[in-house]
């Protein structure tokens, strides 16, 4: 799954990386190394520019709210539960089907966080001796330092309690697509002796990372070729990512500094996996 991620790139850099044609500097957000659900996030998408008179889809960098709210939802509260969508079923689920057809986006990240329970504490939890076992966070990021472009969907929701001229009347929200985590050994090996040997050892799901050669086809809102779109949901080649332990400070959403993605030494012996 993807419940937290880091996003530190400047909008000017994202404009260059993704060949963005339009972005509004008033939508700029600060670098955040601990992006959590319901926060505002950057998204790359293609839509006609509002009130431009030009129907041509334009690639834009926009700020959306993480947690998709379907257009038919009675309340935006559903968004907090819809931060992820499974790539294997996204084209069939009522909440995501329409967005998958024409409202696809990319969510730029540095990498994502995932937590793993220590073997010893997991055993205590299973025996009922510990209800809240300590978990070790890991940061998963491209080995070459490139952008982690997560496949996403976005949707519009109208707050009918507000007037048409109220800027808060329309919500634009998004979700991250996930896929089965890689079970192949990490190219650089475990981060420490006894550590997880693959991404799957950390968590069975991971965000779907789209390589650059898939970006144009994925973002094109006119692309209605279901077979081609489903093909884009295949996991990227194995071996592009690395994983290492980071401070448990990331577990607190109030923390958002760059130190959260710094690698730490091997956890204490009792938390080895």
């Amino acid at each position: 799954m993807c419940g937290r991620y880091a996003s530190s790139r400047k909008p000017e850099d994202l404009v260059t990386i993704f060949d963005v044609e339009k972005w509004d500097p008033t939508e700029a957000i600060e670098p955040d190394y601990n992006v959590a659900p319901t926060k505002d996030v950057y998204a790359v998408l293609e839509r006609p520019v509002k009130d431009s008179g030009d129907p041509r889809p334009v690639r834009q960098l926009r700020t959306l709210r993480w947690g998709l709210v379907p257009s038919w939802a009675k309340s935006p509260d559903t968004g907090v539960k819809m931060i992820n969508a499974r790539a294997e079923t996204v084209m069939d689920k009522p909440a995501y089907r329409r967005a998958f057809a024409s409202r696809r986006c990319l969510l730029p990240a540095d990498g994502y966080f995932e937590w793993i329970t220590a073997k010893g504490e997991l055993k205590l939890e299973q025996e009922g001796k510990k209800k809240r076992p300590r978990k070790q966070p890991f940061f998963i990021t491209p080995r070459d330092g490139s952008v982690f472009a997560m496949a996403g969907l976005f949707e519009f929701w109208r707050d009918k309690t507000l007037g048409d001229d109220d800027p808060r009347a329309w919500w634009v929200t998004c979700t991250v697509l996930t896929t089965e985590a890689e079970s192949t050994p990490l190219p650089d090996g475990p981060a420490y002796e006894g550590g997880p040997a693959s991404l799957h050892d950390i968590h069975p799901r991971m965000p779907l990372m789209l390589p650059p050669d898939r970006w144009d086809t994925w973002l094109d809102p006119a692309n209605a070729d279901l077979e081609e779109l489903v093909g884009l949901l295949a996991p990227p080649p194995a071996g592009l990512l690395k994983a290492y332990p980071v401070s448990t400070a990331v577990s607190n959403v109030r923390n958002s500094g760059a130190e959260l993605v710094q690698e730490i030494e091997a956890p204490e012996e009792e938390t080895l996996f």
Side-chain angles (χ1 to χ4, degrees):
M1 62 176 294
C2 178
R4 302 276 185 85
Y5 67 91
S7 178
S8 68
R9 284 180 168 80
K10 297 179 179 179
E12 296 85 355
D13 294 334
L14 297 176
V15 166
T16 299
I17 292 171
F18 292 99
D19 294 325
V20 169
E21 297 180 61
K22 181 182 184 301
W23 84 282
D24 184 350
T26 64
E27 292 191 9
I29 51 181
E30 292 296 317
D32 191 342
Y33 292 87
N34 196 4
V35 179
T38 74
K39 282 189 175 183
D40 287 341
V41 299
Y42 282 130
V44 178
L45 53 86
E46 292 188 3
R47 285 183 62 81
V49 177
K50 186 178 180 180
D51 301 326
S52 69
D54 185 356
R56 177 182 63 91
V58 173
R59 187 166 298 183
Q60 307 175 43
L61 179 64
R62 299 290 301 274
T63 300
L64 312 183
R65 183 183 175 94
W66 185 17
L68 189 138
V69 181
S71 60
W72 42 260
K74 295 181 179 180
S75 166
D77 294 342
T78 59
V80 72
K81 302 176 183 178
M82 302 179 69
I83 62 172
N84 293 160
R86 295 176 67 94
E88 298 88 342
T89 58
V90 68
M91 69 292 297
D92 301 318
K93 297 292 184 180
Y96 305 118
R97 190 166 50 212
R98 293 177 63 183
F100 178 71
S102 60
R103 288 184 288 278
R104 300 176 295 275
C105 64
L106 294 170
L107 302 170
D110 304 334
Y112 70 99
F113 297 98
E114 196 54 79
W115 283 255
I116 186 171
T117 304
K119 285 182 178 179
E121 299 209 355
L122 179 60
K123 184 174 183 294
L124 291 176
E125 180 186 27
Q126 292 171 339
E127 294 174 349
K129 297 179 181 179
K130 194 165 189 177
K131 294 183 178 180
R132 298 187 63 182
R134 187 159 66 118
K135 296 186 177 184
Q136 173 62 50
F138 277 74
F139 187 58
I140 297 94
T141 185
R143 296 175 66 213
D144 62 2
S146 61
V147 66
F148 192 121
M150 302 185 293
L153 305 176
F154 68 98
E155 189 59 274
F156 295 91
W157 182 78
R158 175 69 164 85
D159 186 343
K160 297 180 181 179
T161 66
L162 300 176
D164 292 339
D165 58 347
D166 193 317
R168 299 169 300 170
W170 283 99
W171 291 47
V172 190
T173 60
C174 60
T175 190
V176 176
L177 270 62
T178 65
T179 187
E180 185 174 353
E182 295 175 15
S183 57
T184 54
L186 290 164
D188 302 320
Y192 52 86
E193 184 178 356
S198 70
L199 296 182
H200 196 277
D201 287 346
I202 301 174
H203 195 280
R205 304 290 297 178
M206 62 179 286
L208 175 60
M209 183 176 73
L210 292 186
D213 60 359
R214 301 185 195 177
W215 292 354
D216 291 347
T217 306
W218 176 253
L219 292 175
D220 182 4
N223 186 353
D225 187 331
L226 184 60
E227 183 176 352
E228 183 177 35
L229 292 173
V230 170
L232 297 177
L233 300 179
L240 300 179
L241 304 173
K242 62 180 179 179
Y244 55 82
V246 294
S247 169
T248 54
V250 73
S251 300
N252 188 331
V253 296
R254 291 190 292 271
N255 298 326
S256 61
E259 68 279 0
L260 298 180
V261 299
Q262 294 178 357
E263 183 173 2
I264 64 171
E265 295 182 3
E268 297 176 0
E269 186 174 353
E270 65 181 83
T271 65
L272 288 178
F273 306 96

